């Protein structure tokens, strides 16, 4: 049964990113790191207040370090370089280190970067730096390359080294509190329902009101999401929180529901074991670019009643799935990330193939094992074993050939992606149109032919991709037990929101 509802809708335009400008302001002051943490932390010279985070946000970071050690601590004969330098951020959002090497235990060969094998964890290059105001900063995964001229010169030498992230650990006094705190910031305006308004008063006496904050409570902890003019803050506070897992869930929830790729430039973690700040390199080219999202932030029923509680329940359900079935969460998160990045390609065949493969990936990781157990035919399985036994006793055939035949018989009746989609269609979890479009898109994108891309074919590719994107979202939302409104994605520029009857297959 389909329930059609009133909602704010938007149009899908293939391979075109949309930027949604907002003019939202908030009042006064929200909790800073120092007010959030009740761990009796000492005042660290590097603690990040609003003006410091603004410097990072605007790519104006510049920290002078009077002492830097770059080394390979897991190797007995690894490199060790000592000197000083400056940690900066460039216009693209990346972090880097201008390092003046005063002394090193070995000369770096211009033919062999350090590490030689970046996938070997034992060769990992780490940095430990001390700023001029006493803060200690660490980073790992560095790569050192020298030119021929640098190799011939004596120290001091200048190296410019990219940094994926930097970490700052703060001094603290352990206390009995079990509260944990998480604070994230990123350059996006997320599209979620807001349930709290804020006012701003200017120096000229004018005031403005905006609904730009969401407060969500779940199992004894609270999450605050605040949309500012150019960035979003996320706070989480509660007891017994696994902060890294919660961080991943929040980033996925906000990105998935908004169609955005969330890149936190700032992360703060605080619990009874200590406090840590992380500054990340980001790719500014991916900021404020979006793909079609699965759900809307503003949905009302026929009585004009808000259905925003379903949006918040999605977050809570994702949290539950990440705890009970972390492989489900990881599969959907990784597949969605691939789908998002595929839309960056100027060639539309890339999202065509990626979306069709993402559907197959979720089926293989999540649905097919469950379908196999639900649809298992014991009599058929016994017959397969009987045939395999007969095959094994055939004389005059090599053991390798007999084994190949037995493996082939063992695969009889296995659930492949198309068969799984047929099963889900029969259970009304997906629709026959989605199955048909996926099959055609999967074949045409995986086995392309050198055919003229006329207007009719291009339109057909767009339409099938839209439907398959909707199929991907239907599967993902079913895993997360979502019962609210979602975009139907049955045709191009389809802005219809529909509530589908939830079918519990996995839980």
């Amino acid at each position: 049964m389909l329930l059609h509802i009133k909602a704010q809708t938007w149009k899908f335009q293939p391979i075109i990113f949309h930027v949604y400008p907002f003019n939202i302001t908030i009042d006064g002051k929200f909790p800073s790191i120092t007010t959030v943490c009740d761990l009796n932390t000492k005042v660290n010279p590097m603690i990040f207040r609003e003006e410091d985070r603004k410097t990072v946000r605007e790519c104006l970071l510049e920290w002078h370090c009077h002492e830097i050690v770059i080394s390979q601590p897991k190797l007995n004969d690894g490199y060790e370089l000592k000197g000083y330098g400056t940690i900066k951020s460039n216009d693209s959002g990346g972090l880097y280190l201008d390092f003046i090497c005063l002394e090193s235990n070995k000369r770096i060969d211009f033919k062999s970067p350090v590490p030689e094998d970046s996938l070997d964890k034992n060769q990992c290059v780490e940095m430990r730096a001390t700023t001029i105001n006493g803060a200690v900063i660490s980073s790992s995964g560095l790569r050192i390359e020298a030119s021929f001229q640098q190799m011939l010169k004596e120290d001091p030498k200048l190296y410019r080294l990219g940094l994926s992230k930097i970490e700052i650990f703060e001094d603290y006094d352990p206390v009995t509190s079990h509260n944990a705190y998480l604070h994230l910031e990123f350059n996006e305006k997320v599209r979620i329902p807001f349930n709290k308004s804020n006012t701003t008063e200017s120096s000229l006496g004018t005031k403005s009101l905006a609904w730009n904050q969401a407060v969500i409570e779940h199992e004894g902890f609270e999450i605050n999401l605040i949309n500012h003019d150019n960035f979003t803050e996320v706070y989480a506070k509660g007891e017994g929180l696994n902060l890294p897992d919660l961080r991943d869930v929040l980033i996925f929830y906000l990105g998935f529901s908004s169609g955005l790729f969330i890149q936190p430039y700032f992360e703060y973690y605080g619990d009874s074991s200590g406090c840590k700040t992380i500054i990340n390199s980001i790719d500014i080219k991916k900021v404020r670019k979006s793909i079609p999202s699965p759900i809307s932030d503003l949905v009302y029923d026929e009585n004009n009643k808000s259905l925003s509680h379903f949006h918040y329940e999605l977050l809570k359900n994702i949290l539950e799935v990440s705890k009970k079935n972390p492989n489900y969460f990881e599969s959907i998160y990784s597949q969605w990330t691939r789908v998002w990045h595929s839309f960056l390609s100027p060639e539309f065949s890339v999202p065509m193939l990626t979306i069709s493969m993402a559907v197959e990936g979720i089926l293989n990781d999540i649905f097919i094992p469950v379908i196999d157990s639900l649809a298992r035919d014991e009599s058929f399985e016994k017959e397969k074993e009987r045939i395999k036994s007969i095959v094994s006793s055939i004389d005059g055939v090599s053991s390798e050939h007999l084994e190949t035949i037995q493996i082939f018989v063992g695969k009889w009746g296995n659930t492949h992606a198309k068969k799984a989609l047929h099963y889900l269609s029969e259970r009304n979890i997906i629709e026959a149109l989605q199955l048909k479009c996926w099959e055609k898109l999967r074949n045409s994108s995986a086995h392309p032919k050198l055919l003229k891309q006329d207007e009719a074919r291009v339109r057909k590719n767009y339409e099938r991709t839209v439907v398959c994107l909707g199929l991907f979202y239907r599967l993902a939302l079913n895993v997360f037990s979502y019962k609210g409104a979602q975009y139907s994605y049955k045709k191009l520029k389809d802005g219809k929101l529909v509530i589908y009857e939830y079918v519990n297959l996995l839980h």
Side-chain angles (χ1 to χ4, degrees), residues 327-373:
N327 291 337
Y328 287 7
F329 171 70
E330 290 172 7
S331 174
I332 294 174
Y333 195 168
S334 61
Q335 296 294 351
W336 176 82
T337 300
R338 294 187 185 102
V339 169
W340 193 94
H341 281 90
S342 72
F343 278 83
L344 291 177
S345 173
E347 177 56 55
F348 192 68
S349 61
V350 176
M352 285 172 57
L353 178 60
T354 305
I355 292 171
S356 63
M357 294 302 297
V359 169
E360 191 166 346
I362 291 181
L363 292 172
N364 289 332
D365 293 342
I366 301 175
F367 286 93
I368 287 179
V370 175
I371 294 172
D372 279 338
S373 63

Side-chain angles (χ1 to χ4, degrees), residues 37-50:
C37 189
D38 68 353
L39 300 174
N40 293 333
T41 55
K42 298 176 183 177
V43 176
N44 186 294
M46 187 57 80
I47 195 165
F48 275 78
R49 304 181 188 280
E50 165 55 28

Side-chain angles (χ1 to χ4, degrees), residues 137-174:
I137 301 173
S138 63
S139 183
S140 62
L142 282 70
R143 180 180 174 87
I144 309 173
E145 293 182 336
S147 66
F148 180 72
Q149 290 78 8
Q150 281 178 307
M151 186 186 71
L152 296 178
K153 287 182 179 179
E154 297 296 328
D155 294 328
K157 300 174 184 175
L158 170 64
Y159 296 96
R160 175 161 292 183
L161 310 176
L163 305 172
S164 60
K165 68 177 180 180
I166 54 179
E167 298 183 347
I168 304 107
F169 292 88
E170 299 172 18
D171 295 330
Y172 73 102
D173 293 325

Side-chain angles (χ1 to χ4, degrees), residues 1 42 72 110 144 166 199 206 225 227 231 248 272 280-281 290 318 354 362 364 396 447 474-475 488:
M1 178 180 178
K42 298 176 183 177
Q72 293 177 294
F110 78 100
I144 309 173
I166 54 179
T199 57
T206 60
L225 302 110
N227 257 3
F231 67 100
D248 290 343
S272 58
N280 294 304
S281 284
S290 66
I318 295 174
T354 305
I362 291 181
N364 289 332
H447 309 286
R474 284 280 287 275
L475 295 175
S488 60

